[in-house]
């Protein structure tokens, strides 16, 4: 998870640096408070997370520790020897995970032909620089986001991907199948006809409206006038013959 964080320099000043959270840990309230008072006494954050170089730019890699039920967090970096306090860490994480969930849902519902879709962790890193690995914390948080989405009926997390099963009503390739015609409902059909007439009235007097009603739909001049349109100044020789009942 790529972040821009103000890191404390050795001289005591702050500098904005590119950081990558390779894992996320959520601590209970009391444990988080204890950690804030004595972060160096927590050996869990001293694993293989160190300063990296990528494309010629300095990149700090570390672990993001969040307070359970709170908004703040701490970024532990430089092999767990340095720490940066982040007051709004939770909001940033939630926003990034929400974007990832949106991407997974969008791609799945637009492309699935069977109702389910596999989205691989490598795709998340390539598109969003989001590191998702089994057990790194980000996996469970993103899984929770996907499970709460109304489009997903079931989500299974494997070692490589999220396998999402969607409700077919949200899937583009299934959305129109079996849907009843709105015109089958007389009340809805009348409402649609009224709205269409109101829309056409916005173009009353135009050449385009006359061509649609007279030339395309084959309505005679009296039929057009019966619908409430005044297009006499657009009349052409009336060769249209009524072919059925007139819509009132």
């Amino acid at each position: 998870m790529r972040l821009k964080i103000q890191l404390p320099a050795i001289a005591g000043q702050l500098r904005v640096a590119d950081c990558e959270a390779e894992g996320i840990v959520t601590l209970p309230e009391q444990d988080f408070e204890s950690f804030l008072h004595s972060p160096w006494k927590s050996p869990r954050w001293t694993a293989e997370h160190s300063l990296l170089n990528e494309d010629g730019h300095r990149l700090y890699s570390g672990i993001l520790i969040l307070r359970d039920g709170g908004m703040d967090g701490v970024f532990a970096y430089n092999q767990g020897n340095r720490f940066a306090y982040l007051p709004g860490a939770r909001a940033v994480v939630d926003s990034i995970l929400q974007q990832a969930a949106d991407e997974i849902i969008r791609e799945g519902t637009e492309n699935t032909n069977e109702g389910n879709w596999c989205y691989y962790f490598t795709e998340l890193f390539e598109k969003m620089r989001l590191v998702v690995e089994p057990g790194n914390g980000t996996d469970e948080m993103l899984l929770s986001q996907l499970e709460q989405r109304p489009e997903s009926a079931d989500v299974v997390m494997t070692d490589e991907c999220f396998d999402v099963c969607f409700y077919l009503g949200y899937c583009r390739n299934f959305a129109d199948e079996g849907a009843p015609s709105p015109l089958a409902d007389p009340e809805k059909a009348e409402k649609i006809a009224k709205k269409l007439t109101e829309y056409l009235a916005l173009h009353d007097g135009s050449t385009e409206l006359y061509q649609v009603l007279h030339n395309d739909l084959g309505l005679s001049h009296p039929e057009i006038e019966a619908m409430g349109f005044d297009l006499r100044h657009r009349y052409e020789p009336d060769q249209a013959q009524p072919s059925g009942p007139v819509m009132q």
Side-chain angles (χ1 to χ4, degrees), residues 27 61 136 176 183 197:
L27 293 181
S61 179
N136 77 336
D176 296 330
L183 299 180
T197 302

Side-chain angles (χ1 to χ4, degrees), residues 28-55:
E29 175 78 19
Q30 187 173 355
D31 292 347
F32 187 84
E33 283 295 331
S34 298
F35 166 71
L36 286 182
H37 288 92
S38 303
W40 292 277
K41 293 182 180 180
S42 301
R44 287 177 292 177
W45 324 131
T46 61
E48 302 297 326
H49 301 282
S50 57
L51 186 65
L52 302 177
N53 288 316
E54 183 182 274
D55 300 329

Side-chain angles (χ1 to χ4, degrees), residues 89-126:
R90 173 72 65 172
V92 174
V93 171
D94 288 345
S95 176
I96 293 174
L97 294 179
Q98 180 65 52
Q99 293 177 43
D102 288 344
E103 170 64 19
I104 294 171
I105 296 295
R106 182 199 62 78
E107 181 173 303
T109 54
E110 290 183 359
N111 294 283
T112 180
N113 291 318
E114 299 177 350
N116 67 292
W117 190 258
C118 291
Y119 200 102
Y120 289 87
F121 301 155
T122 53
E123 296 179 71
L124 288 169
F125 184 76
E126 292 171 358

Side-chain angles (χ1 to χ4, degrees), residues 207-219:
T207 303
E208 292 79 8
L209 177 58
Y210 178 77
Q211 291 176 345
V212 169
L213 297 175
H214 184 266
N215 299 344
D216 298 343
L217 297 179
L219 298 180

Side-chain angles (χ1 to χ4, degrees), residues 2-248:
R2 288 295 168 87
L3 306 166
K4 278 193 175 295
I5 301 175
Q6 282 191 333
L7 299 180
I10 297 177
Q13 299 177 344
L14 294 176
R15 64 182 184 280
V16 178
D18 290 325
C19 301
E20 182 172 286
E22 294 188 352
I24 300 177
V25 176
T26 301
L27 293 181
E29 175 78 19
Q30 187 173 355
D31 292 347
F32 187 84
E33 283 295 331
S34 298
F35 166 71
L36 286 182
H37 288 92
S38 303
W40 292 277
K41 293 182 180 180
S42 301
R44 287 177 292 177
W45 324 131
T46 61
E48 302 297 326
H49 301 282
S50 57
L51 186 65
L52 302 177
N53 288 316
E54 183 182 274
D55 300 329
H57 299 288
R58 177 172 288 183
L59 176 68
Y60 292 87
S61 179
I63 297 290
L64 185 60
I65 302 111
L66 300 177
R67 182 198 301 265
D68 188 18
M71 298 301 296
D72 55 343
V74 174
F75 183 69
Y77 63 105
N78 196 18
Q79 296 184 341
N81 294 315
R82 305 295 298 278
F83 304 91
Y85 178 69
L86 309 173
R90 173 72 65 172
V92 174
V93 171
D94 288 345
S95 176
I96 293 174
L97 294 179
Q98 180 65 52
Q99 293 177 43
D102 288 344
E103 170 64 19
I104 294 171
I105 296 295
R106 182 199 62 78
E107 181 173 303
T109 54
E110 290 183 359
N111 294 283
T112 180
N113 291 318
E114 299 177 350
N116 67 292
W117 190 258
C118 291
Y119 200 102
Y120 289 87
F121 301 155
T122 53
E123 296 179 71
L124 288 169
F125 184 76
E126 292 171 358
K127 293 182 179 180
M128 302 182 58
R129 315 304 293 181
L130 182 61
V131 180
V132 180
E133 297 174 346
N136 77 336
T138 310
D139 57 341
E140 292 291 341
M141 296 182 72
L142 184 50
L143 175 64
S144 178
Q145 287 265 3
L146 292 171
E147 290 176 334
Q148 297 175 35
R149 294 294 296 255
E151 301 91 339
S152 60
D154 187 36
V155 186
V156 176
M157 182 173 62
T158 71
D159 291 341
E160 298 179 339
C161 70
F162 292 106
D163 188 352
V164 187
C165 180
F166 298 99
Y167 289 109
L168 297 184
Y170 291 97
C171 301
R172 173 182 295 181
N173 296 335
F174 293 90
D176 296 330
E177 293 187 7
S181 170
L183 299 180
D185 183 343
E187 183 177 348
K188 187 173 291 187
E190 182 179 355
K191 183 178 180 181
I192 292 174
K194 182 179 178 181
K195 287 293 184 181
L196 288 174
T197 302
E198 291 174 354
Y199 175 78
L200 292 174
L202 296 175
H203 302 276
D204 193 7
S206 69
T207 303
E208 292 79 8
L209 177 58
Y210 178 77
Q211 291 176 345
V212 169
L213 297 175
H214 184 266
N215 299 344
D216 298 343
L217 297 179
L219 298 180
S220 66
H221 295 158
E223 290 173 330
I224 293 175
E225 293 173 6
M227 294 181 66
F229 298 115
D230 184 8
L231 296 170
R232 284 172 291 183
H233 59 295
R234 302 293 183 188
Y235 282 175
E236 299 173 356
D238 194 353
Q239 299 178 351
Q241 298 297 326
S243 57
V246 179
M247 180 178 67
Q248 298 296 329

